[in-house]
């Protein structure tokens, strides 16, 4: 569920301060065709929401340019371009010189440019899930009629990532700093949404502005049409405060970071999907509330029994022993983030430990269940003896704005996995049968860690 939005709030999203609002200026830069022809790529996206990399279909297929190529001609002047020598009176029978291009249409302010206004409002409707196509796809899990600050920050981050080949100021029009407006209230001379977009319209002109609004809308919708894991920012290119923090923590404890396979996860499109490497079912990481009646049953308040995950940052590890094939299973292990530095001695390696079903490494195919074990201390003989039942296992960022859980991503030898039923978190299993929610590997060497998930949620409580 989306929190109620404050229509008067202009504060930047938590953890991602907005860039200064200054009018864009300078030339509009277009990326060059990946086919090597020298032409420019037109600002369009494919149905999946990714920018086109070539100037036309012909160039993409290694053939001659298509008749409708929008690349704008060669990057350098054509050999047939007019020169001082050629500018003489045409000889008899020569074709007449081409007519000069029509002058550009007179400039209009955004509010008076009806096609541009329509494109701007359509972008807002797409962001808000208008027309049944928005967050979650199909209209069943849209952002809502009024995007909140958290939502606008996510829109900006997704578009920054998807449209990364484009010039920076063309990717999302600083939407993380845009005012919060309901689509049915957008339009008119005093509309704050149009006021925010006005500098971009003046910079780009009405036609290109409308084209880019449409491209951003399709890119956003394409992201939410994805099934399964919805991955954002491969390589953690943004390098913002939370990404940098996660990289620093893992680097300080283990050091062996695989930046190329580090990334973020947004809301998943399905609870269970088939892993592309192992071809087995697993639950992808996801944002959203992590909660269980187990904690409230122990006397923990509803608020403190819920971790409303806003961001999931994966730090990849360099581990040649992690094998991604049909003989292995992708699993999770929830650990105490407030004791993560204690793993420095063992490195990114498990050590078998005693548990309810004997000694081994305890894992689960359920992301939600792993988060439950990473959230608080469950009821055990040890926790009762130490009087720390339901004590926090999460940790906090140095600025005190975020709490976070840590879950490990693990590849386990399928032949070494024994499954058990008997978890305390029967309502937090991501749909897995009770008999499949606990996986125990007796030999620690058969369970290899390949990723560390930092699951950040706002610090509305400390204990």
């Amino acid at each position: 569920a989306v929190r109620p939005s404050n229509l008067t709030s202009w504060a930047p999203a938590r953890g991602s301060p907005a860039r200064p609002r200054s009018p864009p200026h300078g030339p509009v830069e277009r990326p060059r065709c990946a086919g090597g022809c020298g032409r420019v790529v037109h600002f369009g996206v494919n149905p999946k929401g990714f920018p086109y990399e070539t100037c036309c279909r012909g160039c993409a297929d290694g053939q001659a340019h298509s008749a409708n190529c929008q690349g704008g001609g060669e990057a350098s002047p054509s050999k047939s371009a007019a020169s001082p020598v050629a500018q003489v009176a045409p000889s008899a029978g020569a074709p007449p010189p081409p007519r000069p291009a029509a002058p550009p249409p007179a400039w209009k302010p955004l509010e008076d440019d009806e096609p541009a206004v329509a494109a701007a409002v359509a972008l807002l409707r797409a962001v808000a899930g208008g027309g049944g196509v928005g967050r979650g796809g199909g209209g069943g899990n849209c952002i809502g009629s009024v995007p909140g600050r958290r939502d606008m920050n996510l829109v900006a981050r997704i578009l920054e990532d998807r449209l990364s080949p484009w010039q920076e100021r063309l990717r999302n029009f600083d939407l993380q700093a845009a005012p919060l407006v309901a689509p049915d209230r957008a339009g008119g001379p005093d509309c704050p949404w149009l006021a925010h977009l006005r500098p971009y319209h003046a910079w780009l002109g009405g036609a290109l502005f409308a084209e880019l609004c449409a491209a951003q809308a399709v890119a956003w919708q394409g992201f939410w049409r994805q099934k399964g894991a919805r991955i954002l920012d491969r390589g953690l290119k943004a390098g913002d405060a939370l990404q940098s923090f996660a990289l620093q923590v893992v680097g300080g404890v283990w050091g062996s970071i695989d930046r190329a396979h580090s990334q973020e996860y947004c809301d998943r499109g399905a609870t269970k999907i088939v892993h592309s490497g192992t071809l087995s079912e697993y639950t992808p990481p996801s944002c959203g509330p992590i909660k269980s009646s187990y904690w409230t049953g122990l006397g923990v308040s509803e608020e403190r029994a819920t971790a409303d995950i806003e961001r999931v940052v994966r730090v990849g590890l360099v581990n040649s022993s992690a094998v991604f094939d049909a003989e292995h299973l992708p699993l999770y292990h929830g650990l105490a983030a407030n004791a993560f530095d204690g793993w420095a001695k063992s490195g990114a390696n498990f050590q078998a430990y005693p548990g309810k079903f004997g000694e081994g490494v305890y894992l689960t195919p359920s992301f939600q269940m792993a988060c439950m074990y990473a959230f608080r201390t469950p009821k055990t003989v040890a926790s009762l003896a130490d009087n720390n039942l339901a004590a926090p296992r999460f940790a906090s960022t140095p600025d005190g704005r975020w709490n976070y859980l840590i879950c490990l991503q693990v590849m386990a030898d399928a032949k070494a996995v024994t499954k058990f039923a008997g978890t305390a978190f029967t309502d937090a299993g991501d749909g897995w049968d009770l008999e499949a929610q606990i996986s125990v590997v007796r030999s620690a060497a058969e369970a290899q860690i390949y990723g560390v998930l930092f699951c950040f949620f706002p610090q509305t409580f400390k204990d």
Side-chain angles (χ1 to χ4, degrees):
V2 176
R3 302 185 184 90
S5 299
N6 178 3
L7 292 176
T8 63
S9 172
W10 288 71
R14 183 187 294 264
S16 295
R19 291 191 296 269
R21 287 286 297 128
S22 59
H25 61 279
V28 177
E29 301 172 4
R30 293 176 181 260
R32 296 294 174 184
C33 176
C37 68
R39 296 189 178 189
V40 294
V41 177
H42 73 93
F43 287 122
V45 296
N46 61 30
K48 292 184 178 181
F50 290 101
Y52 290 114
E53 298 180 349
T54 58
C55 58
C56 63
R57 169 62 65 182
C59 211
D61 295 338
Q63 306 297 322
H65 288 287
S66 303
N68 63 346
C69 178
Q70 300 182 33
E74 305 299 330
S76 58
S78 170
K79 294 180 180 179
S80 61
S83 66
V85 176
Q87 293 176 9
V88 295
S91 60
R99 294 182 179 180
W107 178 83
K108 297 179 181 179
L110 174 56
E111 290 79 358
D112 296 336
D113 188 341
E114 292 185 7
V117 169
V121 174
L123 173 59
L124 179 59
R125 287 191 179 127
V127 166
V133 182
R135 187 174 181 177
N141 186 28
C142 296
I143 278 184
S145 59
V146 181
R149 181 58 54 208
R150 170 179 170 183
D151 303 316
M152 295 305 296
N153 182 55
L154 181 59
V155 172
R157 294 180 61 240
I158 288 173
L159 293 181
E160 284 277 353
D161 184 49
R162 285 232 156 184
L163 305 179
S164 58
W166 293 359
Q167 189 176 350
E168 182 181 8
R169 298 303 295 264
L170 302 180
R171 297 172 196 160
N172 72 64
F173 295 160
D174 280 322
L175 295 186
Q176 70 272 32
L180 308 179
V181 180
D184 58 2
R185 293 175 53 188
D190 298 322
C191 173
W193 175 256
L194 297 184
H196 176 84
L197 297 176
R198 190 181 299 131
Y200 293 92
H201 176 266
W203 175 40
L204 299 167
L208 184 54
F209 172 82
E211 182 180 349
L212 287 167
C213 283
Q216 291 181 18
V218 174
W220 167 252
Q221 292 167 340
F223 181 86
W224 291 109
R225 286 194 184 101
Q226 294 179 108
K227 303 300 181 183
R230 293 189 174 118
I231 296 172
L232 170 68
D233 200 6
R234 296 180 191 271
L236 302 183
K237 300 180 295 295
D240 64 15
L242 294 183
Q243 291 181 1
S244 298
F245 173 76
L247 290 165
Q248 180 181 0
V249 170
V250 177
V253 174
W254 285 337
S256 303
I257 291 176
D258 182 358
R259 185 69 177 262
H261 291 92
S262 299
Q263 58 199 28
E264 281 206 41
Y265 295 89
C266 292
D267 296 10
R268 59 196 175 200
T271 304
K272 293 181 183 179
I273 64 173
V274 175
H275 191 278
S276 60
T278 65
L279 303 181
S280 58
E281 269 195 324
Y282 90 115
T283 300
S286 178
C287 298
I290 301 293
K291 59 184 178 180
S292 172
S293 59
Y294 176 81
W295 300 120
T296 54
L298 294 178
V300 179
S301 68
E302 186 72 31
E303 178 191 12
R304 294 170 56 247
T306 303
D308 192 1
I309 306 298
E310 288 196 12
R311 292 181 64 180
V312 180
V313 178
R314 196 271 288 284
V315 178
L317 299 179
V318 176
N319 184 357
S320 59
S321 298
V323 180
F324 299 80
D325 62 17
E327 304 300 322
H328 290 77
L329 298 175
L331 299 169
Y332 297 100
H333 177 83
L335 57 81
N338 55 15
F340 182 56
D341 55 359
W343 284 70
K345 295 180 181 179
S346 66
N349 300 297
F350 284 114
Q351 294 180 353
Y353 53 90
K356 180 178 180 179
F357 302 106
E359 188 171 275
V361 178
Y362 282 67
L363 307 166
T364 176
S366 167
F367 170 73
Q368 191 174 40
M369 183 173 295
C371 286
M372 282 290 96
Y373 281 102
F375 187 28
R376 295 185 177 278
T377 305
K379 184 177 180 180
T380 63
V381 174
S383 65
L384 291 173
D386 297 337
N387 195 30
N388 66 345
L389 179 61
R393 305 188 79 205
F394 56 85
S396 302
T397 56
D399 61 6
R401 300 177 67 188
W402 298 88
N403 294 329
Y404 63 94
L405 315 175
I406 290 183
C407 295
L408 302 179
Q409 291 181 299
V410 181
M411 276 292 159
D413 188 330
K415 297 187 298 295
V417 172
T418 306
K419 298 180 180 180
F420 294 93
T423 176
F425 307 111
T426 55
D427 58 347
D430 286 322
W432 291 91
D433 295 336
L434 291 178
E435 294 76 14
Q437 290 180 356
I438 298 178
S439 299
V440 179
V441 176
R442 302 301 179 189
S443 172
E446 304 298 337
Q448 294 293 323
I449 305 168
Y450 68 92
V452 184
L453 298 174
F454 284 73
C455 307
F456 294 98
F457 57 102
Q459 191 184 86
T460 56
F461 53 86
K462 297 181 179 180
D463 59 1

